[in-house]
């Protein structure tokens, strides 16, 4: 069974599925939705990109009764970025059910506005464990009516030290609820959490057929510490000039300060590179994610935790500037490339001191690591590392009733740009981002400054 219409779903949900253009269920959905809709607990091994969000989103929306003003579904996520993404996905699925109230409650955000929006119980809360626990403790959030608890990316939540918070939350919500646990990896600790919080769960593991298995080519490169940056620049340039031009790359560093240093150095060398880590203001982080997703950043340098928020289906190239501390993290990193039929390349730089970590990975892989010799030569003349797009920011957003169509209209009007030169448009509460073909970005900027958007003049700037 792969058709959504075979499932006992509310017509409003089937309508959303159709509007989203989902023709058939993904394997995770096909295996997990029937038991979830039957009320069973489910533990599913599912990666980002597998369609897991829609799987638990549909299931929880099927369970809630919008006419009862009570918290009925709680989704716990490891990061704010993921919580935002999950909230967005559930809102889309709920688009045809009137009056569903969903709140996103994450740490790192001021408490006041969250308390204000909790004056009436939402039906659904999506949040990070620490903050959700805090609200339950304070009594600003009421867990007594929860029917469905979702643990999304449970392995990451454990990595981030949220095990205790999760246990405490489970102790504070309705005793009888359904628990849906999603995790990319099935470590022993995940089994232990499942045993603590689930009842007779249905186990969903998707065997990826060899023909569909993502093709990931791994390479390990031995470098001197002082050569790491040259090696990185060379690898990025070389891989970019190949026949299959690799337009974007994700570079991992183990420490935040190195993320900044590497991004700055790449920028100095002419790459469209940006840094992403947890020390940054939320607004700056959002901006970086927008710029990477709309292709105006070619190289994103990030810590493992920060990279979790990336909603990019398949990156052509992933580089570990520092080798991951453990094999699990390494597996997560390389899993960011080569999804669903696309070939990906994962390169890991290794210094002599880091060699034991490579040996650990080798043991887990149970096969010899593919080492590659790299001769570091003089930098090439041609700059292939510029992103194809550039981002313009408009200091107006949803609060000004600005919609993507208004921006598109202002840019494509008479004597304007062709639609093909305009990329992704993201509208936030108070600002909007639009990607423009790099060569035409200045022209677009002038046009937006000279003209009007929706009959008004807003401040517009170009980023980078
Ligand atoms: P996720 O694994 O939840 O991060 O989802 C990955 C992407 O797949 C999201 O962009 C979804 O909108 C999309 N998606 C989810 N379910 C389906 C489906 N049945 N058919 C096509 N796309 C889907």
């Amino acid at each position: 069974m792969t058709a959504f219409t075979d499932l006992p779903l509310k017509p409003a949900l089937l309508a959303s599925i159709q509007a989203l253009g989902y023709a058939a269920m993904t394997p995770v959905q096909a295996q997990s939705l029937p038991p979830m809709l039957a009320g069973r607990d489910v533990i599913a091994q599912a990666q980002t990109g597998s369609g897991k969000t829609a799987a638990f989103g549909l299931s929880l929306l099927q369970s809630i009764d919008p006419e009862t003003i009570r918290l009925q579904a709680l989704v716990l996520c490891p990061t704010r970025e993921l919580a935002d993404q999950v909230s967005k996905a559930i809102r889309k699925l709920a688009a045809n059910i009137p009056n569903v109230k969903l709140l996103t409650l994450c740490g790192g955000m001021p408490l006041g506005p969250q308390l204000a929006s909790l004056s009436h119980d939402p039906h659904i809360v999506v949040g990070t464990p620490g903050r959700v626990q805090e609200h339950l403790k304070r009594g600003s959030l009421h867990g007594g009516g929860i029917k469905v608890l979702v643990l999304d990316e449970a392995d990451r939540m454990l990595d981030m030290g949220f095990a205790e918070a999760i246990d405490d939350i489970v102790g504070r919500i309705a005793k009888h609820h359904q628990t849906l646990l999603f995790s990319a990896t099935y470590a022993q600790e995940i089994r232990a959490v499942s045993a603590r919080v689930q009842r007779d769960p249905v186990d969903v593991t998707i065997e990826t057929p060899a023909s569909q298995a993502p093709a990931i080519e791994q390479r390990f490169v031995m470098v001197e510490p002082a050569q790491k940056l040259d090696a990185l620049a060379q690898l990025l340039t070389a891989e970019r000039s190949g026949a299959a031009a690799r337009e974007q790359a994700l570079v991992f560093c183990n420490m935040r300060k190195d993320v900044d240093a590497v991004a700055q150095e790449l920028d100095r060398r002419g790459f469209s590179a940006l840094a992403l880590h947890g020390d940054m203001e939320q607004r700056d982080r959002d901006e970086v994610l927008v710029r990477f997703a709309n292709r105006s950043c070619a190289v994103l340098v990030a810590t493992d935790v920060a990279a979790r928020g990336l909603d990019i289906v398949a990156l052509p190239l992933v580089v570990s500037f520092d080798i991951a501390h453990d094999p699990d993290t390494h597996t997560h990193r390389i899993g960011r490339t080569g999804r669903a039929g696309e070939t990906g390349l994962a390169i890991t730089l290794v210094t002599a001191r880091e060699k034991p970590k490579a040996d650990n990975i080798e043991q887990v892989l149970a096969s010899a690591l593919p080492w590659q010799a790299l001769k570091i030569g003089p930098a090439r003349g041609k700059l292939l590392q510029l992103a194809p797009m550039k981002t313009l920011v408009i200091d107006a957003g949803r609060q000004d009733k600005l919609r993507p169509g208004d921006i598109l209209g202002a840019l494509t009007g008479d004597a304007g740009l062709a639609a093909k030169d305009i990329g992704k448009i993201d509208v936030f509460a108070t600002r909007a981002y639009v990607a423009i073909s790099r060569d035409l970005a200045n022209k677009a900027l002038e046009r937006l400054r000279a003209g009007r958007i929706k009959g008004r003049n807003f401040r517009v700037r170009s980023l980078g």
Side-chain angles (χ1 to χ4, degrees):
M1 182 179 76
T2 54
F4 281 104
T5 44
D6 292 338
L7 296 170
L9 286 171
K10 297 175 188 173
L13 290 174
L14 289 173
S16 303
I17 290 165
Q18 200 174 18
L20 285 164
Y22 298 171
M25 285 189 264
T26 65
V28 169
Q29 292 163 352
Q31 285 200 34
S32 67
L33 272 164
M36 291 195 296
L37 293 173
R40 296 284 303 271
D41 281 5
V42 167
I43 171 166
Q45 182 166 19
Q47 314 269 354
T48 306
S50 60
K52 65 185 167 73
T53 317
F56 66 71
L58 286 168
S59 183
L60 70 85
L61 286 168
Q62 178 74 16
S63 298
I64 64 166
D65 167 17
E67 288 178 13
T68 307
I69 308 301
R70 226 181 160 186
L71 176 61
Q72 297 170 51
L74 173 62
V75 182
L76 298 176
C77 301
T79 61
R80 195 199 105 140
E81 280 84 2
L82 185 66
D84 282 341
Q85 231 168 275
V86 166
S87 300
K88 234 194 250 171
I90 296 178
R91 285 210 168 92
K92 281 190 192 151
L93 291 169
N96 297 298
I97 311 177
N99 306 322
V100 174
K101 189 174 166 197
L102 181 151
L103 260 188
T104 314
L105 298 175
C106 296
M109 306 295 287
L111 206 60
Q114 290 185 355
L115 291 173
S117 38
L118 282 168
S119 58
H120 297 288
D121 279 359
H123 298 104
I124 307 167
V125 161
V126 180
T128 47
R131 185 56 63 94
V132 167
Q133 180 189 21
E134 188 176 348
H135 280 295
L136 286 167
K137 271 188 181 164
R138 283 174 165 259
S140 42
L141 194 62
H142 313 111
I146 289 180
K147 298 181 195 166
V148 186
L149 169 69
V150 180
L151 306 177
D152 191 15
E153 301 203 352
D155 48 343
R156 272 290 135 176
M157 290 202 280
L158 297 188
D159 286 352
M160 293 171 69
F162 282 136
E164 258 176 57
I166 291 170
D167 285 342
D168 185 60
I169 289 168
V170 171
R172 289 172 189 274
I173 66 175
K175 216 176 165 70
H176 291 288
H177 63 257
Q178 178 185 31
T179 307
L180 310 175
L181 187 156
F182 289 79
S183 177
T185 54
Y186 263 9
Q188 196 48 43
E189 296 80 18
I190 291 292
R191 293 278 172 201
V193 171
S194 167
R196 285 204 302 277
V197 306
Q198 295 196 290
R199 244 172 313 141
D200 186 22
V202 175
D203 205 322
V204 172
T205 314
I206 306 298
E207 297 288 339
T208 316
S211 58
Q212 281 175 30
I216 300 175
E217 185 190 342
Q218 287 211 63
R219 287 186 211 158
F220 288 75
V221 179
M222 212 60 198
V223 287
E224 299 287 334
Q227 285 181 327
K228 270 188 163 185
L229 269 164
D230 289 333
L232 175 64
Q234 178 159 334
L235 285 167
L236 290 172
T237 317
E239 295 313 331
R240 260 140 217 289
S241 55
R246 298 184 189 268
E247 204 174 67
Q248 285 191 308
L250 177 60
V251 176
F252 285 101
C253 295
N254 290 343
M255 291 197 298
R256 290 168 182 186
K257 67 173 174 46
D258 294 330
V259 164
D260 280 328
V262 170
Q264 271 166 26
E265 181 54 26
L266 288 176
D267 184 74
R268 201 185 63 76
R269 297 184 186 206
F271 290 84
S272 308
L274 291 173
L276 184 73
H277 58 67
D279 274 352
M280 294 161 58
E281 294 282 341
Q282 190 59 49
R283 198 162 110 162
D284 295 334
R285 265 199 280 174
D286 288 341
E287 202 162 279
V288 168
L289 292 173
V290 163
R291 290 167 73 184
F292 194 58
N294 74 16
R295 296 162 61 230
S296 50
C297 160
V299 185
L300 185 66
V301 188
T303 53
D304 289 288
V305 170
R308 286 302 275 188
L310 277 178
D311 184 21
I312 306 283
V313 183
L315 284 164
L317 175 63
V318 169
V319 182
S320 282
F321 184 79
D322 303 310
I323 189 171
H325 289 308
D326 56 82
D328 241 19
T329 307
H330 178 80
T331 307
H332 268 291
R333 288 182 179 180
I334 67 168
R336 306 302 311 231
T337 183
R339 291 220 169 89
E342 311 238 350
T343 8
L345 178 60
I347 304 179
T348 304
L349 301 185
V350 187
T351 61
R353 256 188 66 199
E354 291 168 329
K355 182 73 173 28
K357 289 181 192 162
D359 296 339
N360 274 344
I361 292 171
E362 184 161 41
Q363 263 189 348
V364 172
L365 286 180
S367 73
L369 294 184
W371 289 98
Q372 181 201 355
L374 183 71
K375 229 178 96 204
I376 297 164
R380 302 176 181 219
K382 212 166 153 210
L383 288 188
L384 294 149
Q385 51 274 68
L386 279 181
M389 312 296 277
K390 220 171 156 144
T391 300
L392 305 185
V393 200
I394 302 161
D395 277 350
R398 280 200 309 271
Q399 283 179 8
D400 311 274
K401 305 250 183 299
L402 188 65
R403 272 173 301 186
D406 302 323
I407 300 171
L408 199 62
L411 285 164
T412 54
D414 36 22
L417 283 80
K420 70 169 175 39
D421 293 315
I422 302 166
K424 204 162 169 274
I425 299 177
D426 294 275
V427 180
F428 288 71
T430 56
R431 28 177 53 202
Y433 300 88
V434 53
I436 309 279
S437 291
R438 181 163 285 273
D439 317 338
L440 296 168
N442 281 338
K443 181 176 164 195
L445 184 65
E446 278 166 27
R447 251 192 85 70
L448 285 182
R449 280 182 174 160
R452 286 164 168 271
I453 307 172
K454 283 193 95 170
R456 294 169 62 186
N457 255 311
F458 297 111
R459 209 165 83 93
V460 188
R461 283 171 298 127
S462 132
L463 289 180

